[in-house]
């Protein structure tokens, strides 16, 4: 394989085909750029990689609309920054990553680094503001079409919103203003804070996630989203659709205090109540609690007045009734005294006669009782005599005197039948004048022989 041979002659360069050094090429490129873009150039894109180096700033302007992502390096030097600062402040814009801009500048090839860049000298704020407004309008149309814009506004805010969830960046002036306002109120607010970023690319998803997380807490009375003032493009974070949807879907009323008094974000439009500042947002909660407490105090005072009036009225009624009862009691006692006096007089007059009648009745009763006693005593004596005669008739001594006898065994038992004794047994016989012993020789079980007639004689 052979290599081509070149005959350069004595001179390497010629007028028609010059050879440049690298530095010369850089100068040639810059001369060409200046001739081609003599009056500068307008470029639009999205800022990324923003970096402050002293008073200068450097970033990349990216074009996301191209199929292959195109970028250009931008140098924003201190003199241009100082000159454009009043215009940016007037429109409340702060250049940062993610911001879509239309900038003016001059192309420059930086020979030491071999990079093409754009030296920024101007900016069209209407482009950025228009992009923000266009994005905002698109989000608003979707929220209105889905009926989400006033959904959270229909939530019922507690009359005592003392348990508050706060979505903010801790350590900021907005957080301190809000907390100091609550602390100085004297009410017992309980605050639960979700610390989030409130600007930059991660701010919108963090704020939306924090609102959703706090909305799951059933103990909260309200959720507050606050941020201090800032550039309009920074506050555009709260125009994000995901934040608006998180607010609309929260079952807890959401209050916002974002930016300055002139700012009004989509989050404000979607919230239950939008305050102009974080301090004003705290003031809304304090005023509601204060109004509820004042209403309670007013109601209590009204109840106290009505209760006092009712008690006074009842006391007067009771006093009137007591007076009426006293008067009626005195009248009743007087009438009773009169009736008692009449009856006492009657008793005085009727007493001796009644006593005389009672004595006569007592004398009659005494006579009747005495006569009745004599008759009963005579009847009792007669009955006693009859019973005595009957007793005497069955007295054993009387029967023995009549000739009867009583025979007993040796153990003292009375012999009533021949079966009560045995042959040879000794028995004792009692007669009217004594006893005698005998032995049983025989027994005769025949019918009893009637006694001699003279044995029945007395």
């Amino acid at each position: 394989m052979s290599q081509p041979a070149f005959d350069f002659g004595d001179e390497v360069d010629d007028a028609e085909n010059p050879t440049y050094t690298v530095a010369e090429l850089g100068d040639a490129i810059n001369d060409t750029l200046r001739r081609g873009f003599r009056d500068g150039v307008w470029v639009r894109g999205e800022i990324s990689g923003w970096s402050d180096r002293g008073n200068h700033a450097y970033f990349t302007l990216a074009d996301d609309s191209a199929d292959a992502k195109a970028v250009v390096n931008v140098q924003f030097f201190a003199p241009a920054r100082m000159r454009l600062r009043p215009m940016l402040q007037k429109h409340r814009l702060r250049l940062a990553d993610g911001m879509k801009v239309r900038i003016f500048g001059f192309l420059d090839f930086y020979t030491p680094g071999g990079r093409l860049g754009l030296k920024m000298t101007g900016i069209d704020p209407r482009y950025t503001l228009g992009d923000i407004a266009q994005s905002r309008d698109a989000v608003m149309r979707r929220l209105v079409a889905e009926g989400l814009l006033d959904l959270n506004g229909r939530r019922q805010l507690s009359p005592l919103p003392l348990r508050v969830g706060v979505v903010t960046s801790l350590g900021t002036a907005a957080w301190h203003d809000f907390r100091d306002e609550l602390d100085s109120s004297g009410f017992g607010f309980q605050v639960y804070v979700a610390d989030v970023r409130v600007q930059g690319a991660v701010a919108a998803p963090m704020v939306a996630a924090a609102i959703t997380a706090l909305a799951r807490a059933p103990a909260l009375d309200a959720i507050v989203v606050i941020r201090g003032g800032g550039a309009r493009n920074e506050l555009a974070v709260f125009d994000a659709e995901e934040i608006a949807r998180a607010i609309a879907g929260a079952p807890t009323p959401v209050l916002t205090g974002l930016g300055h008094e002139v700012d009004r974000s989509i989050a404000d439009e979607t919230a239950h109540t939008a305050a102009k500042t974080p301090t004003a947002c705290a003031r809304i909660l304090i005023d509601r609690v204060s109004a509820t407490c004042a209403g309670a105090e007013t109601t209590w005072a009204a109840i106290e007045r009505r209760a006092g009036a009712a008690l006074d009225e009842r006391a007067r009624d009771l006093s009137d009734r007591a007076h009426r009862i006293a008067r009626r009691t005195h009248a009743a006692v007087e009438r009773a005294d009169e009736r008692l006096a009449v009856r006492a007089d009657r008793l005085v007059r009727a007493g001796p006669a009644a006593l005389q009648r009672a004595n006569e009745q007592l004398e009659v009763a005494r006579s009747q009782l005495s006569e009745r006693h004599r008759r009963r005593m005579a009847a009792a004596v007669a009955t006693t005599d009859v019973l005595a005669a009957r007793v005497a008739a069955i007295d054993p001594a009387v029967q023995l005197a009549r000739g009867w006898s009583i025979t007993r065994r040796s153990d003292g038992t009375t012999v009533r039948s021949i079966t009560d004794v045995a042959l040879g047994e000794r028995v004792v016989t009692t007669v009217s004048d004594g006893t005698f012993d005998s032995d049983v020789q025989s027994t005769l079980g025949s019918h009893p022989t009637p006694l001699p007639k003279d044995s029945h004689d007395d």
Side-chain angles (χ1 to χ4, degrees):
M1 182 176 181
S2 62
Q3 294 182 349
F6 298 95
D7 184 7
F8 295 106
D10 294 334
E11 295 292 338
V12 177
D13 293 332
D14 58 43
E16 296 180 357
N17 191 20
T19 300
Y20 298 95
T21 65
V22 175
E24 290 172 342
L25 179 61
D27 292 339
I29 292 173
N30 279 325
D31 289 340
T32 303
L33 291 175
R34 291 188 184 99
R35 288 194 301 270
F37 299 94
R38 181 184 325 180
D39 299 326
V41 61
W42 285 97
V43 185
R44 70 174 183 267
E46 182 177 307
I47 296 175
S48 65
W50 179 275
S51 175
D52 285 304
R53 300 177 190 175
N55 294 325
H56 309 303
Y58 302 87
F59 61 92
T60 299
L61 195 63
D63 185 2
D64 286 332
S65 63
D67 294 337
K69 188 172 183 179
V71 297
V72 62
N73 294 318
V74 180
Q75 298 87 38
F76 193 18
F77 294 119
R81 293 186 73 178
M82 292 295 293
R83 182 171 49 82
L84 295 179
R85 183 173 297 167
M87 182 180 63
L88 292 174
Q89 290 177 346
K90 175 183 176 182
H91 295 284
R92 296 181 49 237
L93 293 176
R94 182 179 299 159
L95 302 183
D97 287 348
M99 183 176 177
K100 293 182 179 181
V101 293
R102 179 174 177 262
I103 63 176
F104 181 82
F106 295 90
L107 292 171
D108 178 71
F109 183 76
Y110 182 58
T111 305
R115 294 190 302 272
L116 178 66
L118 180 69
K119 293 180 180 179
M120 177 179 168
T121 59
I123 187 171
D124 180 8
R126 295 172 301 176
Y127 179 83
T128 302
L129 295 176
D131 179 73
I132 294 174
Q134 186 177 5
S135 300
R136 173 190 172 94
D137 291 342
V139 174
M140 287 289 288
R141 284 194 298 270
R142 287 192 292 272
L143 294 176
V144 172
E146 297 180 34
L148 300 178
L149 199 61
D150 60 347
L151 185 60
N152 192 262
R154 295 196 294 267
R155 306 295 184 191
Q156 184 66 36
L157 181 60
S158 170
L160 286 172
L162 294 173
R163 295 166 297 184
V164 183
V166 181
V167 180
T168 190
S169 178
L170 288 178
T172 61
W175 160 242
H176 288 296
D177 291 345
F178 179 83
R179 185 191 62 186
D180 293 344
E181 191 73 14
L182 292 185
D183 291 343
S184 63
S185 69
F187 296 119
F189 284 97
Q190 299 177 19
V191 180
Y192 307 87
V193 185
D195 187 14
V196 298
R197 296 286 297 275
V198 292
Q199 66 183 51
V202 298
M206 286 187 71
V207 171
I211 294 172
T212 302
L214 289 174
R216 296 194 186 102
L220 293 182
D221 300 316
I223 297 173
V224 173
V225 183
I226 54 175
R227 185 202 191 282
R232 190 172 300 180
N233 57 294
E234 292 175 344
L235 292 173
V237 167
F238 293 94
D239 290 332
E241 186 170 355
E242 53 191 322
I243 295 179
R245 290 185 177 275
I247 293 174
T252 306
V254 178
L255 286 72
T256 55
L258 304 171
H260 301 288
E261 295 184 1
V262 296
D263 298 316
R264 183 81 178 179
S265 66
I266 292 180
D268 293 324
E269 300 290 348
T270 315
H272 180 280
T273 304
K276 294 180 179 181
T277 63
T279 302
C281 191
R283 194 72 249 169
I284 289 174
L285 296 174
I286 294 170
D287 289 346
R288 188 168 183 86
V289 174
S290 179
T292 302
C293 293
E297 291 293 338
T298 301
T299 303
W300 175 254
I303 292 174
E304 187 177 12
R305 288 195 301 271
R306 295 188 63 178
L311 288 174
D312 292 341
E313 183 178 357
R314 295 299 180 271
R316 289 192 296 270
D317 292 343
L318 183 61
S319 178
D320 293 341
R321 293 186 181 184
H323 290 152
R324 289 197 298 270
I325 292 173
R327 289 193 299 268
R328 293 180 180 179
T329 302
H330 292 160
V333 170
E334 290 177 356
R335 290 194 298 271
D337 289 341
E338 293 175 356
R339 289 195 297 271
L340 183 61
V342 171
R343 292 181 179 179
D345 183 65
R346 291 178 180 175
L347 286 176
V348 170
R349 293 195 302 270
L355 184 60
Q356 180 62 33
R357 288 194 298 273
N359 289 332
E360 292 176 354
Q361 292 174 356
L362 182 60
E363 183 60 28
V364 171
R366 187 188 63 76
S367 299
Q368 292 176 350
L369 182 60
S370 177
E371 182 62 26
R372 186 178 302 172
H373 175 70
R374 285 194 297 271
R375 289 197 299 270
R376 288 188 176 181
M377 285 295 296
V381 169
T383 300
T384 301
D385 292 342
V386 171
L387 291 176
R390 291 181 179 178
V391 170
I394 60 174
D395 186 1
V398 174
Q399 299 299 327
L400 290 176
R402 291 180 176 178
W404 293 93
S405 65
I406 299 173
T407 303
R408 296 181 176 84
R409 299 175 61 186
S410 59
D411 58 1
T413 58
T414 303
V415 178
R416 291 182 173 82
S417 170
I418 61 175
T419 61
D420 292 340
V421 295
L423 296 176
E425 182 180 1
R426 180 172 290 277
V427 295
V428 178
T429 301
T430 301
V431 292
S432 61
D433 55 354
T435 61
F436 61 86
D437 296 337
S438 61
D439 294 328
V440 178
Q441 298 295 324
S442 64
T443 59
L444 183 61
S446 59
H447 294 289
T449 302
L451 292 174
K453 190 173 188 292
D454 55 0
S455 63
H456 295 285
D457 296 339
D458 294 333

